[in-house]
Amino acid sequence: MGEENAAPMDVVERLTTRRRGLFRKVVTGDTVGLGERDTVVRWLRELHEERNQTVIIHRPWGSICVVAEGRAPTDIMMSDGDRMWYAARPESSLPQKHPQLTPDQVEHVMLDALTSDAWPRWPEWREL
């Protein structure tokens, strides 16, 4: 993969999907820098308003995202480009099909990713 196809670093993206007719979807995007914490907090809180949105934070250590598909987001996915993990709910049993993180937990992990030089702190990351 060439540099022109590489994901941007140190930015936050919000992708919004809207249906246009029966089979057509339109995706629009917004991008802000890591210093736009208030905007990112607003985006994360809007995810709980039954919107079809994804918030992705791109950092040198990888990318982390939370997806809301018309309902409150419940899980966070992280990738370093080669492997993928999800944030497991504390004290959950294996395997965990639906992490079901609370809105506060989602916000905590995602905001930690804004400032962290390494993976965000979370009790348990499980590889997919």
Side-chain angles (χ1 to χ4, degrees):
M1 180 184 296
E3 282 186 35
E4 64 277 359
N5 294 328
M9 291 295 155
D10 292 334
V11 297
V12 184
E13 290 183 281
R14 177 180 64 174
L15 304 175
T16 303
T17 304
R18 291 183 176 83
R19 288 195 175 278
R20 300 282 193 234
L22 186 58
F23 299 108
R24 188 167 165 237
K25 291 182 182 179
V26 176
V27 178
T28 57
D30 301 297
T31 303
V32 297
L34 297 179
E36 298 292 328
R37 180 182 170 93
D38 291 343
T39 300
V40 175
V41 167
R42 180 173 45 85
W43 288 355
L44 292 170
R45 291 182 180 167
E46 287 174 355
L47 290 174
H48 302 284
E49 297 174 5
E50 298 184 2
R51 298 182 183 204
N52 289 323
Q53 294 180 331
T54 302
V55 175
I56 309 164
I57 300 173
H58 300 283
R59 299 300 309 270
W61 44 259
S63 295
I64 186 167
C65 75
V66 59
V67 178
E69 295 174 326
R71 62 189 190 288
T74 60
D75 56 0
I76 296 173
M77 309 299 283
M78 182 172 59
S79 174
D80 65 4
D82 295 321
R83 299 179 352 212
M84 250 183 139
W85 299 265
Y86 68 93
R89 185 170 29 103
E91 302 177 11
S92 65
S93 60
L94 288 173
Q96 183 175 333
K97 291 182 181 178
H98 303 288
Q100 300 178 4
L101 301 179
T102 68
D104 287 341
Q105 290 170 327
V106 168
E107 191 171 313
H108 169 81
V109 174
M110 295 299 287
L111 293 179
D112 188 33
L114 285 178
T115 59
S116 180
D117 290 333
W119 292 6
R121 291 178 303 273
W122 185 248
E124 186 174 353
W125 291 101
R126 295 186 186 158
E127 191 166 1
L128 290 174

